[in-house]
């Protein structure tokens, strides 16, 4: 298994940038595809972005494509989400997760390990 700890969240003004990090424990981090999900107040948790185990393939929700970039550094056991041009609707708790099963990168049910989340608040 893997333990995940998110960091980098905070308060940012609209149009600003933020980089989230997810530190993963264990020696098998590079074996997992990873994803970012978020949950805004009053809404269901939704897919944001995902990356294959080696980082060669990335996947994004249409709402964030072009603004958010997922990356990973397997040598550092760290997953990143670079966020630019942030909007108030990006306000949410952001979770990183390790894909454990299934074929779809978009389905949160395929992710078996989750961090505790980090709050991102974008002021208008």
């Amino acid at each position: 298994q893997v333990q995940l700890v998110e960091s980098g969240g905070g308060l940012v003004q609209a149009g600003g940038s933020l980089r989230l990090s997810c530190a993963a424990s264990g020696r098998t981090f590079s074996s997992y595809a990873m994803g970012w999900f978020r949950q805004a107040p009053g809404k269901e948790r939704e897919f944001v972005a995902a990356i294959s185990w080696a980082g060669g393939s990335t996947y994004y929700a249409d709402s964030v494509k072009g603004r958010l970039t997922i990356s990973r550094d397997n040598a550092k056991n760290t997953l990143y989400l670079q966020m630019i041009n942030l909007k108030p609707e990006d306000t949410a708790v952001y979770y990183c997760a390790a894909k454990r099963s299934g074929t779809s990168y978009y389905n949160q049910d395929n992710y078996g390990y989750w961090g505790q989340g980090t709050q991102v608040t974008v002021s208008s």
Side-chain angles (χ1 to χ4, degrees):
Q1 64 178 21
V2 60
Q3 287 75 47
L4 306 172
V5 180
E6 302 94 336
S7 63
L11 177 64
V12 64
Q13 62 185 3
S17 301
L18 204 62
R19 188 177 78 161
L20 306 184
S21 298
C22 174
S25 67
R27 298 181 179 180
T28 60
F29 172 73
S30 62
S31 297
Y32 293 92
M34 300 291 296
W36 286 100
F37 296 80
R38 67 186 182 187
Q39 186 167 28
K43 296 185 178 180
E44 297 181 351
R45 187 167 60 189
E46 65 178 353
F47 169 81
V48 175
I51 188 168
S52 60
W53 71 272
S57 300
T58 56
Y59 311 84
Y60 296 94
D62 289 340
S63 60
V64 305
K65 192 172 185 178
R67 299 189 301 112
L68 276 60
T69 302
I70 189 172
S71 63
R72 66 191 298 164
D73 187 339
N74 288 342
K76 296 181 178 180
N77 288 347
T78 304
L79 176 75
Y80 303 98
L81 185 67
Q82 181 66 55
M83 312 167 74
I84 64 171
N85 192 24
L86 285 165
K87 304 176 180 179
E89 50 263 45
D90 293 318
T91 295
V93 176
Y94 284 72
Y95 301 90
C96 68
K99 189 171 181 290
R100 189 172 182 270
S101 63
T103 58
S104 174
Y105 286 92
Y106 303 90
N107 189 346
Q108 66 181 17
D109 292 338
N110 292 337
Y111 294 79
Y113 305 103
W114 296 81
Q116 284 67 54
T118 185
Q119 177 71 50
V120 172
T121 302
V122 183
S123 62
S124 60

